[in-house]
Amino acid sequence: MSRGGLDAVGLDLSGADLSHGDLSESWFTDAKLRNCNLTGAELYRSDAQGADLEGADLTAASLVRVNLDDAVLRYATLDRANLVKASMYGVDAFGATCRGTRFMGSSLLEVDFRSADLRDAVFDQNAFQVIIDHDTQVEGASGSVFGPVVLVDEGFDRELSGPELQEWIRQRGGSLQVVTGGR
C-alpha cells in the first residue's frame, strides 16, 4: 500500500484481514470494520470517527493520534495496543479487552468501559471521564488519570473521583493515581 492512507469512508470492511498493514493517515469515518483483523496494524493519525469496530482485533496495533470519537469498540480486542494522544470521545467499549494497552495523553471522555478488561493497562495523564461497573477489571492497571468516572451499579449511577476513585481502583488490584484539579 502506498503512503497517504486508505480512503474507506463509509465502506463495509467487516471481517477483512488488514493485519500488520501500514494504514497511517487512513480515513475510516463511519466505516464498518466489525470483526476485522487489525492485529499489529499501523494506524497513525487515522480517522475512525463513528466507525463500527465491534469485535475487531486490534492486538498490538499502533493507534497513535487516532480519532476514535463516537466509534463502537464493543467486545473489541485492544490488548497491548498503543493509544498515545488518541481521541476517544463517546466511545462504546463495552466488554472490550485492553490488557496491557498503553493510554498515554489520550482523551477518554464518556467512554463506556462497562465489563471491559483493563488489566495491566498503563495510563499516563489521561482525561478519564468514563463509565465503569463492577465487572470492569483494573487489576495491575498503573499510571495516572484525571477523573471523575461514573460507576453504574444495579441501574444506579454514582460519580467517583479523587480518593474515592483511587480506593475503588486499589480494592480491585489497580495502582492508578487519580489526579485532582485542572489539567
Side-chain angles (χ1 to χ4, degrees):
M1 167 186 260
S2 63
R3 285 222 153 254
L6 173 68
D7 183 353
V9 173
L11 294 181
D12 188 346
L13 299 172
S14 297
D17 185 353
L18 302 173
S19 60
H20 305 287
D22 184 352
L23 302 167
S24 298
E25 300 180 0
S26 290
W27 292 91
F28 295 107
T29 308
D30 296 323
K32 286 186 176 32
L33 298 157
R34 287 177 161 234
N35 302 308
C36 192
N37 183 358
L38 290 156
T39 302
E42 173 61 65
L43 294 157
Y44 175 73
R45 284 197 182 271
S46 290
D47 191 321
Q49 183 171 355
D52 185 350
L53 290 144
E54 183 170 339
D57 189 348
L58 292 138
T59 300
S62 175
L63 299 160
V64 175
R65 297 189 178 271
V66 169
N67 177 5
L68 289 163
D69 293 349
D70 298 316
V72 176
L73 289 165
R74 289 178 76 84
Y75 305 105
T77 302
L78 292 108
D79 297 346
R80 299 182 321 281
N82 191 5
L83 283 104
V84 174
K85 303 224 182 255
S87 181
M88 297 179 70
Y89 174 80
V91 170
D92 180 356
F94 183 96
T97 63
C98 301
R99 292 184 300 252
T101 301
R102 294 171 32 113
F103 296 96
M104 315 296 270
S106 295
S107 295
L108 301 152
L109 303 172
E110 296 183 29
V111 176
D112 185 349
F113 274 134
R114 288 177 299 144
S115 296
D117 185 346
L118 302 172
R119 287 180 290 177
D120 300 317
V122 178
F123 296 87
D124 184 33
Q125 303 293 312
N126 297 283
F128 194 69
Q129 296 174 5
V130 301
I131 303 162
I132 57 175
D133 63 11
H134 287 292
D135 293 325
T136 303
Q137 299 176 54
V138 295
E139 182 180 345
S142 62
S144 61
V145 295
F146 295 89
V149 304
V150 173
L151 173 64
V152 177
D153 186 18
E154 297 179 13
F156 178 72
D157 297 354
R158 172 168 78 108
E159 190 172 281
L160 297 178
S161 61
E164 186 180 24
L165 174 57
Q166 193 157 333
E167 179 62 15
W168 187 91
I169 292 166
R170 189 195 64 72
Q171 287 177 354
R172 283 153 186 80
S175 59
L176 284 171
Q177 178 187 5
V178 178
V179 180
T180 56
R183 279 185 67 137

